[in-house]
Amino acid sequence: MALLLSACESAHYYAQAVGGHWQLLRNRVSIDAAIADPATPPELARKLETVRAARQFASSTLLLPENDSYTQYAPLPREAVTYNVVAAPEFSLTPKTWCFPFAGCVSYRGYFDPEDARKKAAQLASSGYDTIITHTAAYSTLGWFADPLPGPVLNWDSDRIVALVFHELAHQKLYIRDDTAFNESYASAVAVLGLQAWQQTESTGARARMTTRRRMLTLLEPTTRDLETLYQQDMPLAEMRQRKTAIIADAQARYAEVAAELPGWEAWIDGLNNARLASLHDYTRGITTFESIFTDCQQDWACFHRESRRLGEDATRRAPLFSGIDSAS
């Protein structure tokens, strides 16, 4: 019975994934055509021109793939394209992973329907996992399809849109199976470094957001260490649960004032748990490594991508920088 249920869940999951992606592709609009259309609102046309220019810059300067991805956009009736469930065991900062035929194992499970995401998160929570649901503005099919830019992204400020295009194209440039932390840190670094090259300044909103994320990661390092130390102890579960609650409550009290000054972070701290910490680490902890590679390459993008790939393909070198993840069904 368990195997049958698992098979049914997998069939439903892949059906919603295929259906959601097909709907996105079906609604695509050519960016070139929209810009040329006099009926396109001026503000939308301006944003689309920025996307087109950033797309060209990504290939010509950042040496990211030159294809049809992000040459189209897809209007959507909601603010997110997918909703990702992230889960971590009650006493671990290593996220649960799900494995897929082409992407390998990743530390999130995406849904096009937010209700499906809520049901999965509730199921995992009932099994003892810490869970969160993140709203995803865009995703990459790693070059298998010509990915369109989801329409809601066009409500963002221009530098944030540009950073997203660079981030998603970076996944097509370099992707290491079964290592979410490496892949997301690499793509985040490409977005930040690429945006600096795009605007020749570090005072952009997107870089400020990344700086804020890294600041929070640094602030939470003592909390992370305390939790990791706790989870390695041999003690009754009730006592470990009590200590975990105390450590998290201490962090929430200690950083509440700081979080209140950072847009979006007050609620993040209020909901602090293992899953939130694991997700933050995946996207942030390796950026300094890639920035060092870029510096060592004297800001040469061909060298940067080449050396990043060498690091990604060398498990012995990669492991100390991007800790492995345990696969789960």
Side-chain angles (χ1 to χ4, degrees):
M1 180 63 72
L3 290 176
L4 289 175
L5 288 173
S6 177
C8 289
E9 183 187 25
S10 295
H12 171 75
Y13 178 79
Y14 283 110
Q16 67 86 32
V18 171
H21 184 65
W22 171 244
Q23 183 179 22
L24 193 70
L25 295 180
R26 187 176 58 187
N27 292 332
R28 289 177 296 181
V29 177
S30 165
I31 288 179
D32 284 345
I35 292 173
D37 187 349
T40 301
E43 178 62 15
L44 175 58
R46 185 183 68 80
K47 293 285 185 69
L48 292 175
E49 287 173 352
T50 297
V51 173
R52 183 169 63 181
R55 183 64 191 81
Q56 294 169 348
F57 183 86
S59 297
S60 63
T61 301
L62 309 186
L63 306 185
L64 296 174
E66 186 172 3
N67 52 36
D68 290 333
S69 290
Y70 313 113
T71 62
Q72 300 167 312
Y73 77 102
L76 287 176
R78 56 182 189 270
E79 65 181 57
V81 62
T82 61
Y83 303 83
N84 287 351
V85 177
V86 181
E90 183 179 11
F91 302 122
S92 174
L93 296 180
T94 300
K96 176 180 173 65
T97 64
W98 289 269
C99 300
F100 304 97
F102 300 107
C105 299
V106 297
S107 58
Y108 51 84
R109 188 170 175 89
Y111 294 88
F112 282 89
D113 187 334
E115 184 58 29
D116 286 343
R118 285 191 287 269
K119 288 179 180 178
K120 187 62 178 180
Q123 175 194 349
L124 290 164
S126 69
S127 298
Y129 285 90
D130 285 2
T131 65
I132 59 169
I133 298 175
T134 63
H135 293 189
T136 305
Y139 62 86
S140 172
T141 58
L142 306 181
W144 287 92
F145 297 93
D147 298 321
L149 189 73
V153 170
L154 295 169
N155 293 322
W156 295 358
D157 55 82
S158 294
D159 65 304
R160 190 179 177 193
I161 296 172
V162 171
L164 177 70
V165 171
F166 294 167
H167 181 107
E168 297 304 332
L169 285 172
H171 285 313
Q172 295 186 19
K173 180 72 174 182
L174 174 58
Y175 185 87
I176 302 299
R177 286 177 63 91
D178 307 336
D179 200 329
T180 300
F182 178 92
N183 294 324
E184 296 301 345
S185 293
Y186 167 76
S188 294
V190 169
V192 171
L193 296 169
L195 199 60
Q196 287 180 231
W198 167 261
Q199 294 194 344
Q200 291 298 307
T201 177
E202 298 188 10
S203 60
T204 64
R207 183 163 182 83
R209 278 185 289 274
M210 182 56 66
T211 299
T212 296
R213 183 183 290 177
R214 291 166 70 176
R215 178 186 177 191
M216 190 57 68
L217 180 68
T218 300
L219 289 174
L220 288 169
E221 281 181 358
T223 302
T224 300
R225 287 196 301 269
D226 289 346
L227 288 173
E228 288 177 335
T229 299
L230 172 65
Y231 298 155
Q232 294 171 5
Q233 303 302 308
D234 182 12
M235 67 177 64
L237 292 182
E239 182 181 353
M240 183 173 290
R241 189 170 294 120
Q242 184 179 31
R243 292 193 183 186
K244 172 190 174 183
T245 299
I247 291 172
I248 290 177
D250 176 70
Q252 290 171 325
R254 187 183 309 171
Y255 303 123
E257 186 174 344
V258 174
E261 298 174 356
L262 305 174
W265 284 91
E266 189 169 15
W268 194 94
I269 283 290
D270 286 344
L272 187 63
N273 61 19
N274 291 343
R276 287 196 186 278
L277 285 170
S279 183
L280 177 65
H281 280 224
D282 276 348
Y283 280 80
T284 310
R285 64 185 167 197
I287 290 180
T288 54
T289 296
F290 291 111
E291 288 179 332
S292 295
I293 292 174
F294 193 62
T295 298
D296 291 344
C297 283
Q298 298 182 344
Q299 302 185 7
D300 178 83
W301 283 95
C303 173
F304 169 77
H305 294 307
R306 182 177 63 251
E307 293 306 314
S308 294
R309 181 174 296 278
R310 285 180 179 173
L311 174 61
E313 293 175 347
D314 188 338
T316 302
R317 291 177 56 214
R318 191 176 81 240
L321 301 171
F322 308 91
S323 57
I325 50 179
D326 300 325
S327 178
S329 63

mmCIF file with all atom_site columns, all heavy atoms in Angstrom, residues 91-104:
data_model
loop_
_atom_site.group_PDB
_atom_site.id
_atom_site.type_symbol
_atom_site.label_atom_id
_atom_site.label_alt_id
_atom_site.label_comp_id
_atom_site.label_asym_id
_atom_site.label_entity_id
_atom_site.label_seq_id
_atom_site.pdbx_PDB_ins_code
_atom_site.Cartn_x
_atom_site.Cartn_y
_atom_site.Cartn_z
_atom_site.occupancy
_atom_site.B_iso_or_equiv
_atom_site.pdbx_formal_charge
_atom_site.auth_seq_id
_atom_site.auth_comp_id
_atom_site.auth_asym_id
_atom_site.auth_atom_id
_atom_site.pdbx_PDB_model_num
ATOM 1   N N   . PHE A 1 91  ? 15.713 17.777 14.271  1.00 0.00 ? 91  PHE A N   1
ATOM 2   C CA  . PHE A 1 91  ? 16.994 17.976 14.934  1.00 0.00 ? 91  PHE A CA  1
ATOM 3   C C   . PHE A 1 91  ? 18.150 17.893 13.928  1.00 0.00 ? 91  PHE A C   1
ATOM 4   O O   . PHE A 1 91  ? 19.130 17.175 14.129  1.00 0.00 ? 91  PHE A O   1
ATOM 5   C CB  . PHE A 1 91  ? 17.180 16.946 16.051  1.00 0.00 ? 91  PHE A CB  1
ATOM 6   C CG  . PHE A 1 91  ? 16.094 16.986 17.092  1.00 0.00 ? 91  PHE A CG  1
ATOM 7   C CD1 . PHE A 1 91  ? 15.334 15.867 17.366  1.00 0.00 ? 91  PHE A CD1 1
ATOM 8   C CD2 . PHE A 1 91  ? 15.809 18.169 17.772  1.00 0.00 ? 91  PHE A CD2 1
ATOM 9   C CE1 . PHE A 1 91  ? 14.332 15.914 18.311  1.00 0.00 ? 91  PHE A CE1 1
ATOM 10  C CE2 . PHE A 1 91  ? 14.799 18.217 18.717  1.00 0.00 ? 91  PHE A CE2 1
ATOM 11  C CZ  . PHE A 1 91  ? 14.044 17.090 18.989  1.00 0.00 ? 91  PHE A CZ  1
ATOM 12  N N   . SER A 1 92  ? 18.043 18.650 12.844  1.00 0.00 ? 92  SER A N   1
ATOM 13  C CA  . SER A 1 92  ? 19.105 18.687 11.836  1.00 0.00 ? 92  SER A CA  1
ATOM 14  C C   . SER A 1 92  ? 18.953 19.934 10.982  1.00 0.00 ? 92  SER A C   1
ATOM 15  O O   . SER A 1 92  ? 17.835 20.391 10.720  1.00 0.00 ? 92  SER A O   1
ATOM 16  C CB  . SER A 1 92  ? 19.046 17.442 10.946  1.00 0.00 ? 92  SER A CB  1
ATOM 17  O OG  . SER A 1 92  ? 19.981 17.549 9.884   1.00 0.00 ? 92  SER A OG  1
ATOM 18  N N   . LEU A 1 93  ? 20.090 20.479 10.540  1.00 0.00 ? 93  LEU A N   1
ATOM 19  C CA  . LEU A 1 93  ? 20.080 21.605 9.605   1.00 0.00 ? 93  LEU A CA  1
ATOM 20  C C   . LEU A 1 93  ? 20.345 21.142 8.175   1.00 0.00 ? 93  LEU A C   1
ATOM 21  O O   . LEU A 1 93  ? 20.533 21.952 7.284   1.00 0.00 ? 93  LEU A O   1
ATOM 22  C CB  . LEU A 1 93  ? 21.125 22.648 10.023  1.00 0.00 ? 93  LEU A CB  1
ATOM 23  C CG  . LEU A 1 93  ? 20.876 23.325 11.369  1.00 0.00 ? 93  LEU A CG  1
ATOM 24  C CD1 . LEU A 1 93  ? 21.970 24.334 11.668  1.00 0.00 ? 93  LEU A CD1 1
ATOM 25  C CD2 . LEU A 1 93  ? 19.512 24.004 11.392  1.00 0.00 ? 93  LEU A CD2 1
ATOM 26  N N   . THR A 1 94  ? 20.382 19.837 7.964   1.00 0.00 ? 94  THR A N   1
ATOM 27  C CA  . THR A 1 94  ? 20.527 19.283 6.620   1.00 0.00 ? 94  THR A CA  1
ATOM 28  C C   . THR A 1 94  ? 19.148 19.098 6.021   1.00 0.00 ? 94  THR A C   1
ATOM 29  O O   . THR A 1 94  ? 18.337 18.340 6.544   1.00 0.00 ? 94  THR A O   1
ATOM 30  C CB  . THR A 1 94  ? 21.247 17.920 6.652   1.00 0.00 ? 94  THR A CB  1
ATOM 31  O OG1 . THR A 1 94  ? 22.551 18.086 7.214   1.00 0.00 ? 94  THR A OG1 1
ATOM 32  C CG2 . THR A 1 94  ? 21.376 17.345 5.254   1.00 0.00 ? 94  THR A CG2 1
ATOM 33  N N   . PRO A 1 95  ? 18.835 19.797 4.943   1.00 0.00 ? 95  PRO A N   1
ATOM 34  C CA  . PRO A 1 95  ? 17.475 19.739 4.392   1.00 0.00 ? 95  PRO A CA  1
ATOM 35  C C   . PRO A 1 95  ? 17.156 18.390 3.766   1.00 0.00 ? 95  PRO A C   1
ATOM 36  O O   . PRO A 1 95  ? 18.037 17.680 3.282   1.00 0.00 ? 95  PRO A O   1
ATOM 37  C CB  . PRO A 1 95  ? 17.478 20.845 3.334   1.00 0.00 ? 95  PRO A CB  1
ATOM 38  C CG  . PRO A 1 95  ? 18.903 20.954 2.914   1.00 0.00 ? 95  PRO A CG  1
ATOM 39  C CD  . PRO A 1 95  ? 19.714 20.680 4.155   1.00 0.00 ? 95  PRO A CD  1
ATOM 40  N N   . LYS A 1 96  ? 15.896 18.049 3.802   1.00 0.00 ? 96  LYS A N   1
ATOM 41  C CA  . LYS A 1 96  ? 15.404 16.876 3.085   1.00 0.00 ? 96  LYS A CA  1
ATOM 42  C C   . LYS A 1 96  ? 15.538 17.150 1.594   1.00 0.00 ? 96  LYS A C   1
ATOM 43  O O   . LYS A 1 96  ? 15.408 18.289 1.150   1.00 0.00 ? 96  LYS A O   1
ATOM 44  C CB  . LYS A 1 96  ? 13.930 16.635 3.435   1.00 0.00 ? 96  LYS A CB  1
ATOM 45  C CG  . LYS A 1 96  ? 13.251 15.496 2.679   1.00 0.00 ? 96  LYS A CG  1
ATOM 46  C CD  . LYS A 1 96  ? 11.807 15.354 3.118   1.00 0.00 ? 96  LYS A CD  1
ATOM 47  C CE  . LYS A 1 96  ? 11.045 14.342 2.255   1.00 0.00 ? 96  LYS A CE  1
ATOM 48  N NZ  . LYS A 1 96  ? 11.585 12.976 2.407   1.00 0.00 ? 96  LYS A NZ  1
ATOM 49  N N   . THR A 1 97  ? 15.833 16.137 0.802   1.00 0.00 ? 97  THR A N   1
ATOM 50  C CA  . THR A 1 97  ? 15.977 16.329 -0.630  1.00 0.00 ? 97  THR A CA  1
ATOM 51  C C   . THR A 1 97  ? 15.033 15.418 -1.397  1.00 0.00 ? 97  THR A C   1
ATOM 52  O O   . THR A 1 97  ? 14.591 14.377 -0.904  1.00 0.00 ? 97  THR A O   1
ATOM 53  C CB  . THR A 1 97  ? 17.421 16.064 -1.093  1.00 0.00 ? 97  THR A CB  1
ATOM 54  O OG1 . THR A 1 97  ? 17.744 14.691 -0.858  1.00 0.00 ? 97  THR A OG1 1
ATOM 55  C CG2 . THR A 1 97  ? 18.409 16.963 -0.360  1.00 0.00 ? 97  THR A CG2 1
ATOM 56  N N   . TRP A 1 98  ? 14.737 15.850 -2.612  1.00 0.00 ? 98  TRP A N   1
ATOM 57  C CA  . TRP A 1 98  ? 13.932 15.053 -3.533  1.00 0.00 ? 98  TRP A CA  1
ATOM 58  C C   . TRP A 1 98  ? 14.718 14.905 -4.820  1.00 0.00 ? 98  TRP A C   1
ATOM 59  O O   . TRP A 1 98  ? 15.380 15.843 -5.267  1.00 0.00 ? 98  TRP A O   1
ATOM 60  C CB  . TRP A 1 98  ? 12.601 15.754 -3.812  1.00 0.00 ? 98  TRP A CB  1
ATOM 61  C CG  . TRP A 1 98  ? 11.664 15.755 -2.646  1.00 0.00 ? 98  TRP A CG  1
ATOM 62  C CD1 . TRP A 1 98  ? 10.713 14.821 -2.346  1.00 0.00 ? 98  TRP A CD1 1
ATOM 63  C CD2 . TRP A 1 98  ? 11.573 16.746 -1.615  1.00 0.00 ? 98  TRP A CD2 1
ATOM 64  N NE1 . TRP A 1 98  ? 10.041 15.176 -1.199  1.00 0.00 ? 98  TRP A NE1 1
ATOM 65  C CE2 . TRP A 1 98  ? 10.538 16.350 -0.723  1.00 0.00 ? 98  TRP A CE2 1
ATOM 66  C CE3 . TRP A 1 98  ? 12.252 17.938 -1.347  1.00 0.00 ? 98  TRP A CE3 1
ATOM 67  C CZ2 . TRP A 1 98  ? 10.179 17.084 0.396   1.00 0.00 ? 98  TRP A CZ2 1
ATOM 68  C CZ3 . TRP A 1 98  ? 11.905 18.676 -0.234  1.00 0.00 ? 98  TRP A CZ3 1
ATOM 69  C CH2 . TRP A 1 98  ? 10.880 18.252 0.628   1.00 0.00 ? 98  TRP A CH2 1
ATOM 70  N N   . CYS A 1 99  ? 14.644 13.725 -5.430  1.00 0.00 ? 99  CYS A N   1
ATOM 71  C CA  . CYS A 1 99  ? 15.462 13.442 -6.607  1.00 0.00 ? 99  CYS A CA  1
ATOM 72  C C   . CYS A 1 99  ? 14.598 13.344 -7.864  1.00 0.00 ? 99  CYS A C   1
ATOM 73  O O   . CYS A 1 99  ? 13.513 12.756 -7.840  1.00 0.00 ? 99  CYS A O   1
ATOM 74  C CB  . CYS A 1 99  ? 16.242 12.144 -6.406  1.00 0.00 ? 99  CYS A CB  1
ATOM 75  S SG  . CYS A 1 99  ? 17.367 12.214 -4.980  1.00 0.00 ? 99  CYS A SG  1
ATOM 76  N N   . PHE A 1 100 ? 15.107 13.917 -8.955  1.00 0.00 ? 100 PHE A N   1
ATOM 77  C CA  . PHE A 1 100 ? 14.386 13.984 -10.209 1.00 0.00 ? 100 PHE A CA  1
ATOM 78  C C   . PHE A 1 100 ? 15.295 13.521 -11.351 1.00 0.00 ? 100 PHE A C   1
ATOM 79  O O   . PHE A 1 100 ? 16.523 13.589 -11.244 1.00 0.00 ? 100 PHE A O   1
ATOM 80  C CB  . PHE A 1 100 ? 13.899 15.413 -10.459 1.00 0.00 ? 100 PHE A CB  1
ATOM 81  C CG  . PHE A 1 100 ? 13.045 15.952 -9.333  1.00 0.00 ? 100 PHE A CG  1
ATOM 82  C CD1 . PHE A 1 100 ? 13.607 16.754 -8.344  1.00 0.00 ? 100 PHE A CD1 1
ATOM 83  C CD2 . PHE A 1 100 ? 11.705 15.625 -9.251  1.00 0.00 ? 100 PHE A CD2 1
ATOM 84  C CE1 . PHE A 1 100 ? 12.837 17.239 -7.301  1.00 0.00 ? 100 PHE A CE1 1
ATOM 85  C CE2 . PHE A 1 100 ? 10.924 16.103 -8.205  1.00 0.00 ? 100 PHE A CE2 1
ATOM 86  C CZ  . PHE A 1 100 ? 11.486 16.905 -7.236  1.00 0.00 ? 100 PHE A CZ  1
ATOM 87  N N   . PRO A 1 101 ? 14.709 13.047 -12.461 1.00 0.00 ? 101 PRO A N   1
ATOM 88  C CA  . PRO A 1 101 ? 15.504 12.430 -13.534 1.00 0.00 ? 101 PRO A CA  1
ATOM 89  C C   . PRO A 1 101 ? 16.630 13.294 -14.075 1.00 0.00 ? 101 PRO A C   1
ATOM 90  O O   . PRO A 1 101 ? 17.734 12.817 -14.288 1.00 0.00 ? 101 PRO A O   1
ATOM 91  C CB  . PRO A 1 101 ? 14.450 12.142 -14.619 1.00 0.00 ? 101 PRO A CB  1
ATOM 92  C CG  . PRO A 1 101 ? 13.164 11.994 -13.866 1.00 0.00 ? 101 PRO A CG  1
ATOM 93  C CD  . PRO A 1 101 ? 13.260 12.981 -12.727 1.00 0.00 ? 101 PRO A CD  1
ATOM 94  N N   . PHE A 1 102 ? 16.396 14.581 -14.319 1.00 0.00 ? 102 PHE A N   1
ATOM 95  C CA  . PHE A 1 102 ? 17.410 15.417 -14.963 1.00 0.00 ? 102 PHE A CA  1
ATOM 96  C C   . PHE A 1 102 ? 18.118 16.355 -13.985 1.00 0.00 ? 102 PHE A C   1
ATOM 97  O O   . PHE A 1 102 ? 19.302 16.628 -14.124 1.00 0.00 ? 102 PHE A O   1
ATOM 98  C CB  . PHE A 1 102 ? 16.778 16.236 -16.090 1.00 0.00 ? 102 PHE A CB  1
ATOM 99  C CG  . PHE A 1 102 ? 16.151 15.382 -17.158 1.00 0.00 ? 102 PHE A CG  1
ATOM 100 C CD1 . PHE A 1 102 ? 14.776 15.280 -17.265 1.00 0.00 ? 102 PHE A CD1 1
ATOM 101 C CD2 . PHE A 1 102 ? 16.937 14.660 -18.035 1.00 0.00 ? 102 PHE A CD2 1
ATOM 102 C CE1 . PHE A 1 102 ? 14.194 14.474 -18.237 1.00 0.00 ? 102 PHE A CE1 1
ATOM 103 C CE2 . PHE A 1 102 ? 16.371 13.851 -19.010 1.00 0.00 ? 102 PHE A CE2 1
ATOM 104 C CZ  . PHE A 1 102 ? 14.993 13.762 -19.108 1.00 0.00 ? 102 PHE A CZ  1
ATOM 105 N N   . ALA A 1 103 ? 17.390 16.851 -13.007 1.00 0.00 ? 103 ALA A N   1
ATOM 106 C CA  . ALA A 1 103 ? 17.960 17.826 -12.077 1.00 0.00 ? 103 ALA A CA  1
ATOM 107 C C   . ALA A 1 103 ? 18.767 17.180 -10.968 1.00 0.00 ? 103 ALA A C   1
ATOM 108 O O   . ALA A 1 103 ? 19.527 17.849 -10.277 1.00 0.00 ? 103 ALA A O   1
ATOM 109 C CB  . ALA A 1 103 ? 16.853 18.685 -11.473 1.00 0.00 ? 103 ALA A CB  1
ATOM 110 N N   . GLY A 1 104 ? 18.616 15.859 -10.770 1.00 0.00 ? 104 GLY A N   1
ATOM 111 C CA  . GLY A 1 104 ? 19.273 15.214 -9.648  1.00 0.00 ? 104 GLY A CA  1
ATOM 112 C C   . GLY A 1 104 ? 18.521 15.515 -8.362  1.00 0.00 ? 104 GLY A C   1
ATOM 113 O O   . GLY A 1 104 ? 17.311 15.780 -8.376  1.00 0.00 ? 104 GLY A O   1
#
